[in-house]
Amino acid sequence: MKPIIFWLTVSSDLLLLSSLIGTLVIPKFRAWPPPYQNSWQFYYNWTLFIIAFLGIFLLGIYDWNSFILNHWFRLIIGGILLISGFFLAFWAVKAISIHDSLGLEGELITKGVYNYSRNPEYIGDLILFLGYSLLTNSWMVMITDTGLALWFFLAPFTEEPWLQERYGEEYEKYIEQVPRFM
């Protein structure tokens, strides 16, 4: 069962990454962000994300402690990172709404946590994944988390041209004042 979950999760990661890279290379393709809720892009991305997130969670259970970080201190650091990342991502989603967080068009939010980073939800997710990797000490989780981490790192590069199209000068000013990540 563990190899099947691993390869399904890796495949989901690779499909998400390849469509994101496709969007960067051929902007008219635009798999992310999705143009609207009932588009193939919306269902494609969110189906793959659900598979990847569920796979990573299950791999953490099935492949627990299979890597070299056997020291108990990893549990404390991993737990702190996991909880911190969760709360940062939650705060960011709360600030922009679930609708906008799904990649759908909404209003431009520049206040609160978005006053410090243009992508605080992605930063929170990255911290959460790092914490889960440390906590589970699973080589399978570390590999699959790396795939999603790359997606969260590249996603802003596909979103920014789309945001510039929609919000124009307001977004240009925002870019000048607030860093992409930190």
Side-chain angles (χ1 to χ4, degrees), residues 2 9 16 31 37 44 60 66 97 114 117 134-135 149 167 177:
K2 187 167 52 170
T9 307
L16 284 165
Q37 188 166 356
Y44 173 85
S66 66
S97 81
Y114 286 87
S117 169
L134 289 173
L135 195 65
Y167 303 110
Q177 298 170 347

Side-chain angles (χ1 to χ4, degrees), residues 161-174:
W162 179 77
L163 290 164
Q164 286 172 327
E165 263 180 40
R166 268 134 195 87
Y167 303 110
E169 192 175 314
E170 183 183 9
Y171 188 71
E172 292 291 333
K173 287 179 186 175
Y174 180 58

Side-chain angles (χ1 to χ4, degrees), residues 37-167:
Q37 188 166 356
N38 290 322
S39 65
W40 71 265
Q41 295 96 325
F42 181 84
Y43 291 112
Y44 173 85
N45 283 294
W46 288 106
T47 300
L48 291 173
F49 269 121
I50 289 168
I51 292 168
F53 290 149
L54 185 58
I56 288 168
F57 174 74
L58 291 173
L59 287 171
I61 295 168
Y62 289 132
D63 195 50
W64 180 268
N65 221 17
S66 66
F67 199 51
I68 60 173
L69 305 172
N70 290 325
H71 197 278
W72 62 269
F73 197 63
R74 80 167 205 285
L75 298 172
I76 295 170
I77 294 172
I80 290 169
L81 289 172
L82 181 94
I83 292 167
S84 300
F86 172 80
F87 280 111
L88 179 57
F90 180 79
W91 182 21
V93 169
K94 191 169 173 12
I96 65 169
S97 81
I98 294 286
H99 180 270
D100 293 0
S101 180
L102 292 174
L104 301 171
E105 187 172 356
E107 64 181 89
L108 180 64
I109 305 296
T110 60
K111 302 293 182 218
V113 70
Y114 286 87
N115 197 38
Y116 305 103
S117 169
R118 297 195 310 260
N119 297 285
E121 183 180 350
Y122 294 164
I123 294 169
D125 290 333
L126 290 167
I127 294 168
L128 185 148
F129 289 140
L130 177 61
Y132 192 66
S133 289
L134 289 173
L135 195 65
T136 62
N137 187 35
S138 162
W139 68 270
M140 289 181 166
V141 168
M142 290 182 190
I143 289 170
T144 53
D145 274 358
T146 300
L148 278 184
L150 287 170
W151 190 94
F152 284 114
F153 179 76
L154 291 174
F157 296 97
T158 64
E159 293 172 348
E160 288 174 356
W162 179 77
L163 290 164
Q164 286 172 327
E165 263 180 40
R166 268 134 195 87
Y167 303 110

